[in-house]
Coordinates of all heavy atoms in Angstrom, one line a residue:
R13 N 7.7 3.3 -22.5 CA 8.9 3.2 -23.1 C 9.8 2.1 -22.5 O 10.5 1.4 -23.2 CB 9.7 4.5 -23.1 CG 9.0 5.6 -23.9 CD 9.8 6.9 -23.8 NE 9.1 8.0 -24.4 CZ 9.6 9.2 -24.5 NH1 10.7 9.5 -23.9 NH2 8.9 10.1 -25.2
L14 N 9.7 2.0 -21.2 CA 10.5 0.9 -20.6 C 10.1 -0.5 -21.0 O 10.8 -1.4 -21.3 CB 10.4 1.1 -19.0 CG 11.2 0.1 -18.2 CD1 12.7 0.3 -18.4 CD2 10.8 0.4 -16.7
L15 N 8.7 -0.7 -21.1 CA 8.2 -1.9 -21.5 C 8.5 -2.3 -22.9 O 8.9 -3.4 -23.3 CB 6.7 -2.0 -21.3 CG 6.2 -1.9 -19.8 CD1 4.7 -1.8 -19.7 CD2 6.8 -3.1 -19.0
W16 N 8.5 -1.3 -23.8 CA 8.9 -1.5 -25.2 C 10.4 -1.9 -25.3 O 10.8 -2.7 -26.0 CB 8.7 -0.2 -26.0 CG 7.3 -0.2 -26.6 CD1 6.3 0.6 -26.2 CD2 6.7 -1.0 -27.6 NE1 5.1 0.3 -26.9 CE2 5.4 -0.6 -27.8 CE3 7.3 -2.1 -28.4 CZ2 4.6 -1.3 -28.8 CZ3 6.5 -2.7 -29.3 CH2 5.1 -2.3 -29.5
T17 N 11.3 -1.2 -24.5 CA 12.7 -1.5 -24.4 C 12.9 -2.9 -24.0 O 13.7 -3.7 -24.6 CB 13.4 -0.5 -23.5 OG1 13.2 0.8 -23.9 CG2 14.9 -0.8 -23.5
I18 N 12.2 -3.4 -23.0 CA 12.3 -4.8 -22.5 C 11.9 -5.7 -23.5 O 12.6 -6.7 -23.8 CB 11.6 -4.9 -21.1 CG1 12.3 -4.1 -20.1 CG2 11.5 -6.4 -20.8 CD1 11.4 -4.0 -18.8
A19 N 10.7 -5.4 -24.2 CA 10.2 -6.4 -25.2 C 11.2 -6.5 -26.4 O 11.4 -7.6 -27.0 CB 8.8 -5.9 -25.7
I20 N 11.7 -5.4 -26.9 CA 12.7 -5.4 -28.0 C 13.9 -6.2 -27.6 O 14.4 -7.0 -28.3 CB 13.0 -4.0 -28.4 CG1 11.8 -3.3 -29.1 CG2 14.2 -4.0 -29.4 CD1 11.9 -1.9 -29.4
S21 N 14.4 -5.9 -26.4 CA 15.6 -6.6 -25.9 C 15.4 -8.1 -25.8 O 16.3 -8.9 -26.3 CB 16.1 -6.1 -24.6 OG 16.4 -4.7 -24.7
V22 N 14.3 -8.6 -25.3 CA 14.1 -9.9 -25.1 C 13.9 -10.6 -26.6 O 14.3 -11.7 -26.8 CB 12.8 -10.2 -24.2 CG1 12.4 -11.6 -24.3 CG2 13.2 -9.8 -22.8
S23 N 13.2 -9.9 -27.5 CA 13.0 -10.4 -28.8 C 14.3 -10.6 -29.5 O 14.6 -11.6 -30.2 CB 12.1 -9.4 -29.6 OG 10.8 -9.3 -29.1
I24 N 15.2 -9.6 -29.4 CA 16.5 -9.8 -30.0 C 17.3 -10.9 -29.4 O 18.0 -11.7 -30.1 CB 17.3 -8.4 -29.8 CG1 16.7 -7.4 -30.8 CG2 18.8 -8.6 -30.2 CD1 17.3 -6.0 -30.5
T25 N 17.2 -11.1 -28.1 CA 17.9 -12.2 -27.4 C 17.4 -13.6 -28.0 O 18.1 -14.4 -28.2 CB 17.6 -12.2 -25.9 OG1 18.1 -10.9 -25.4 CG2 18.2 -13.3 -25.2
V26 N 16.0 -13.7 -28.1 CA 15.5 -15.0 -28.6 C 16.0 -15.2 -30.0 O 16.4 -16.4 -30.4 CB 13.9 -14.9 -28.6 CG1 13.3 -16.1 -29.3 CG2 13.5 -14.9 -27.1
L27 N 15.9 -14.2 -30.9 CA 16.4 -14.3 -32.2 C 17.9 -14.7 -32.3 O 18.3 -15.5 -33.1 CB 16.2 -13.1 -33.0 CG 14.7 -12.7 -33.4 CD1 14.6 -11.3 -34.0 CD2 14.1 -13.8 -34.3
Q28 N 18.7 -14.1 -31.4 CA 20.1 -14.5 -31.3 C 20.3 -16.0 -30.9 O 21.2 -16.6 -31.4 CB 20.8 -13.6 -30.5 CG 21.0 -12.2 -31.0 CD 21.7 -11.2 -30.1 OE1 21.6 -11.3 -28.8 NE2 22.5 -10.3 -30.6
V29 N 19.6 -16.4 -30.0 CA 19.7 -17.8 -29.5 C 19.3 -18.8 -30.6 O 20.0 -19.7 -30.9 CB 18.8 -18.1 -28.3 CG1 18.7 -19.5 -27.9 CG2 19.4 -17.3 -27.0
V30 N 18.2 -18.5 -31.3 CA 17.8 -19.3 -32.4 C 18.8 -19.3 -33.5 O 19.2 -20.4 -34.1 CB 16.4 -18.9 -32.9 CG1 16.0 -19.6 -34.3 CG2 15.3 -19.1 -31.9
G31 N 19.4 -18.1 -33.8 CA 20.4 -18.1 -34.8 C 21.6 -18.7 -34.5 O 22.3 -19.4 -35.4
S32 N 22.0 -18.7 -33.2 CA 23.2 -19.4 -32.8 C 23.1 -20.9 -32.8 O 24.0 -21.6 -33.2 CB 23.7 -18.9 -31.4 OG 22.8 -19.4 -30.4
L33 N 21.9 -21.3 -32.5 CA 21.7 -22.8 -32.5 C 21.6 -23.3 -33.9 O 22.1 -24.4 -34.2 CB 20.3 -23.2 -31.8 CG 20.4 -22.9 -30.3 CD1 19.0 -23.2 -29.7 CD2 21.4 -23.7 -29.6
L34 N 21.0 -22.5 -34.8 CA 21.0 -23.0 -36.3 C 22.3 -22.9 -37.0 O 22.6 -23.7 -37.8 CB 19.9 -22.1 -37.0 CG 18.5 -22.2 -36.6 CD1 17.6 -21.3 -37.4 CD2 18.0 -23.7 -36.9
S35 N 23.1 -21.9 -36.6 CA 24.4 -21.8 -37.2 C 25.6 -22.4 -36.5 O 26.7 -22.5 -37.0 CB 24.7 -20.2 -37.4 OG 24.9 -19.6 -36.2
G36 N 25.3 -22.7 -35.2 CA 26.4 -23.3 -34.4 C 27.4 -22.2 -33.9 O 28.6 -22.5 -33.6
S37 N 27.0 -21.0 -33.9 CA 27.9 -19.9 -33.6 C 27.9 -19.6 -32.1 O 26.9 -19.2 -31.5 CB 27.5 -18.6 -34.3 OG 28.2 -17.5 -33.8
L38 N 29.0 -19.9 -31.5 CA 29.3 -19.6 -30.0 C 29.3 -18.1 -29.8 O 28.8 -17.6 -28.7 CB 30.5 -20.4 -29.5 CG 30.8 -20.3 -28.0 CD1 29.6 -20.9 -27.3 CD2 32.1 -20.9 -27.7
A39 N 29.9 -17.4 -30.7 CA 29.9 -15.9 -30.5 C 28.5 -15.3 -30.5 O 28.2 -14.4 -29.6 CB 30.7 -15.3 -31.7
L40 N 27.6 -15.8 -31.3 CA 26.3 -15.3 -31.3 C 25.5 -15.7 -30.0 O 24.7 -14.9 -29.5 CB 25.5 -15.8 -32.5 CG 24.2 -15.2 -32.9 CD1 24.3 -13.6 -33.0 CD2 23.6 -15.7 -34.1
L41 N 25.8 -16.9 -29.5 CA 25.2 -17.3 -28.3 C 25.8 -16.4 -27.1 O 25.0 -16.1 -26.2 CB 25.5 -18.8 -28.0 CG 24.9 -19.4 -26.8 CD1 23.4 -19.3 -26.9 CD2 25.3 -20.9 -26.6
A42 N 27.0 -16.1 -27.2 CA 27.6 -15.2 -26.1 C 26.9 -13.8 -26.1 O 26.7 -13.2 -25.2 CB 29.1 -15.1 -26.3
D43 N 26.7 -13.4 -27.4 CA 26.1 -12.1 -27.5 C 24.6 -12.1 -27.0 O 24.1 -11.2 -26.5 CB 26.1 -11.6 -29.0 CG 25.8 -10.1 -29.2 OD1 26.3 -9.3 -28.3 OD2 25.1 -9.8 -30.1
A44 N 23.9 -13.2 -27.3 CA 22.6 -13.4 -26.7 C 22.6 -13.4 -25.2 O 21.7 -12.8 -24.6 CB 22.0 -14.8 -27.2
A45 N 23.6 -14.0 -24.6 CA 23.7 -13.9 -23.1 C 23.9 -12.5 -22.6 O 23.3 -12.0 -21.6 CB 24.8 -14.8 -22.6
H46 N 24.7 -11.7 -23.4 CA 24.9 -10.3 -23.1 C 23.7 -9.5 -23.2 O 23.3 -8.7 -22.4 CB 26.0 -9.7 -23.9 CG 26.3 -8.3 -23.7 ND1 26.6 -7.4 -24.7 CD2 26.3 -7.6 -22.6 CE1 26.8 -6.3 -24.2 NE2 26.6 -6.3 -22.9
S47 N 22.9 -9.8 -24.3 CA 21.6 -9.0 -24.5 C 20.6 -9.4 -23.4 O 19.8 -8.5 -23.0 CB 21.0 -9.4 -25.9 OG 21.8 -9.0 -26.9
L48 N 20.7 -10.7 -22.9 CA 19.8 -11.1 -21.9 C 20.1 -10.3 -20.6 O 19.2 -9.9 -19.9 CB 19.9 -12.6 -21.6 CG 19.0 -13.1 -20.5 CD1 17.5 -12.9 -20.9 CD2 19.2 -14.7 -20.3
T49 N 21.4 -10.2 -20.3 CA 21.7 -9.4 -19.1 C 21.3 -7.9 -19.2 O 20.9 -7.3 -18.2 CB 23.3 -9.5 -18.7 OG1 24.0 -8.9 -19.8 CG2 23.7 -10.9 -18.5
D50 N 21.4 -7.4 -20.4 CA 20.9 -6.0 -20.6 C 19.4 -5.9 -20.3 O 18.9 -5.0 -19.7 CB 21.2 -5.5 -22.0 CG 22.7 -5.3 -22.2 OD1 23.4 -5.2 -21.3 OD2 23.0 -5.2 -23.4
A51 N 18.7 -6.9 -20.9 CA 17.2 -6.9 -20.7 C 16.8 -7.0 -19.2 O 15.9 -6.4 -18.7 CB 16.5 -8.0 -21.5
V52 N 17.5 -7.9 -18.5 CA 17.2 -8.1 -17.0 C 17.6 -6.9 -16.2 O 16.9 -6.4 -15.3 CB 18.1 -9.3 -16.5 CG1 18.1 -9.4 -15.0 CG2 17.5 -10.6 -17.1
G53 N 18.7 -6.2 -16.6 CA 19.1 -5.0 -15.9 C 18.0 -3.9 -16.1 O 17.7 -3.1 -15.2
V54 N 17.6 -3.8 -17.4 CA 16.5 -2.8 -17.6 C 15.2 -3.1 -16.9 O 14.6 -2.2 -16.3 CB 16.3 -2.6 -19.1 CG1 15.0 -1.8 -19.4 CG2 17.5 -2.0 -19.8
S55 N 14.9 -4.3 -16.9 CA 13.7 -4.8 -16.2 C 13.6 -4.6 -14.7 O 12.6 -4.5 -14.1 CB 13.2 -6.2 -16.6 OG 14.2 -7.1 -16.0
R56 N 14.8 -4.5 -14.1 CA 14.9 -4.3 -12.7 C 14.8 -2.9 -12.2 O 14.8 -2.6 -11.0 CB 16.2 -4.9 -12.1 CG 16.3 -6.4 -12.3 CD 17.6 -7.0 -11.8 NE 17.9 -6.5 -10.4 CZ 17.7 -7.2 -9.3 NH1 17.1 -8.4 -9.4 NH2 18.0 -6.7 -8.1
Q57 N 14.6 -2.0 -13.2 CA 14.4 -0.6 -12.8 C 13.0 -0.4 -12.2 O 12.0 -0.6 -12.9 CB 14.6 0.3 -14.0 CG 15.9 0.2 -14.6 CD 17.0 0.7 -13.6 OE1 16.8 1.7 -13.0 NE2 18.0 0.0 -13.5
G58 N 13.0 -0.1 -10.9 CA 11.7 0.1 -10.2 C 11.4 1.6 -10.2 O 12.0 2.4 -10.8
P59 N 10.3 1.9 -9.5 CA 9.9 3.3 -9.5 C 11.0 4.2 -8.8 O 11.5 3.8 -7.8 CB 8.6 3.3 -8.6 CG 8.1 1.9 -8.6 CD 9.4 1.0 -8.9

């Protein structure tokens, strides 16, 4: 479940970055950065 959560979070982040670059949306890029920090936080959960 943890690996699926990380994979989904990273996928959403990539889609947000691509969308922000295509649309020129700084808000979407900021949201992508926030999603990335969420993915990093979840991935740092050890045993």
Side-chain angles (χ1 to χ4, degrees):
R13 291 181 185 179
L14 183 64
L15 293 176
W16 273 108
T17 301
I18 294 168
I20 291 169
S21 296
V22 169
S23 299
I24 289 172
T25 301
V26 169
L27 290 173
Q28 286 177 328
V29 168
V30 170
S32 71
L33 294 175
L34 292 175
S35 67
S37 172
L38 185 59
L40 192 55
L41 186 60
D43 195 39
H46 178 218
S47 296
L48 181 62
T49 60
D50 289 343
V52 169
V54 169
S55 68
R56 292 182 49 100
Q57 296 299 314

